[in-house]
Amino acid sequence: VEISENRYYEPLNILKEAEPVFESANDALKGRWHGQKALVIDMLATAEKNAKLFDEAIIEYTAAIFHYEQAKHERYCASNLNNLAMLFYKLGRYRDAHEHLDRAGATLRRLNDAGLLAQVDETRARVFIAEKKYAEANRVIERAVPILEKAGASALLADALTVQGIARVRQGAHEDSINLLRRAMDVAEGVGALTN
């Protein structure tokens, strides 16, 4: 509830209060705790544009990945690799982002998890756009969109369509871009992401 209201200090305090419980927990629970803490710190760092908090988020994502690896929870490990890659993207550290996306993608292909792999592809498309590699971005996002659509992941689909629209406009396909962005708005509105 606090996170949805953009009040990040309260959930961070709750997670800090719970830390002693997780110190003696198994690796799967430690991974969950560190991953949740990373998400909250990441959102707080983004809101405040705070470099020190971004560093803390990187540490927490890395801890989550470590514990999920120890617990052999490969899917959760891949999800946190994707989250860390998204953070590196926001920081302009594109090489680091690609490195973590490569690791996540390899795991998800082996697990045959098309849905989470589509989310990794959406993150990679964002990185490619930032690198001005628009054809690569479009190629990657074109793989993700039908998978998210088939899965009924409307909020994720709206984001992916937006990324695809941006890639297409940067390639000079203005009409395609307009259609994709309109579709993204329709999908987002359908899940209540847009209000009047």
Side-chain angles (χ1 to χ4, degrees):
V1 171
E2 298 294 337
I3 291 170
S4 68
E5 295 293 324
N6 299 323
R7 293 190 298 251
Y8 304 119
Y9 284 103
E10 186 60 30
L12 192 55
N13 289 334
I14 293 168
L15 287 163
K16 285 179 181 177
E17 284 177 31
E19 186 170 9
V21 173
F22 288 94
E23 286 175 352
S24 60
N26 63 37
D27 280 304
L29 289 174
K30 286 179 183 177
R32 176 74 175 157
W33 182 81
H34 283 287
Q36 190 63 46
K37 188 175 176 191
L39 285 170
V40 172
I41 293 171
D42 188 349
M43 289 184 264
L44 182 59
T46 301
E48 294 185 355
K49 296 176 181 32
N50 184 321
K52 183 178 181 281
L53 288 174
F54 280 123
D55 289 342
E56 285 184 43
I58 291 168
I59 291 167
E60 291 300 330
Y61 280 130
T62 303
I65 292 162
F66 170 80
H67 287 293
Y68 281 135
E69 284 173 341
Q70 296 301 304
K72 300 194 183 340
H73 284 296
E74 294 178 288
R75 187 175 191 280
Y76 296 129
C77 182
S79 180
N80 277 272
L81 284 164
N82 184 53
N83 291 342
L84 182 53
M86 181 64 91
L87 176 55
F88 284 136
Y89 152 74
K90 290 190 283 188
L91 295 173
R93 294 174 55 181
Y94 306 134
R95 183 179 302 195
D96 290 328
H98 282 298
E99 178 185 315
H100 288 80
L101 292 168
D102 289 345
R103 284 181 58 199
T107 298
L108 296 168
R109 279 188 289 280
R110 190 172 32 71
L111 295 175
N112 200 26
D113 189 331
L116 192 49
L117 185 57
Q119 293 175 50
V120 168
D121 283 343
E122 191 261 353
T123 302
R124 189 180 302 276
R126 289 173 186 257
V127 176
F128 279 142
I129 289 170
E131 295 175 311
K132 298 181 177 20
K133 297 178 180 176
Y134 307 124
E136 290 94 331
N138 191 60
R139 177 184 49 79
V140 169
I141 200 67
E142 279 184 342
R143 270 192 325 237
V145 167
I147 293 166
L148 296 171
E149 190 168 33
K150 184 177 178 184
S154 297
L156 296 172
L157 176 61
D159 288 343
L161 288 166
T162 301
V163 170
Q164 188 176 22
I166 293 167
R168 295 298 291 144
V169 78
R170 300 282 168 79
Q171 289 180 293
H174 300 284
E175 193 66 34
D176 276 356
S177 178
I178 290 169
N179 291 333
L180 287 163
L181 293 172
R182 281 187 181 138
R183 186 167 169 229
M185 284 179 23
D186 291 342
V187 171
E189 191 170 41
V191 295
L194 297 178
T195 58
N196 293 336

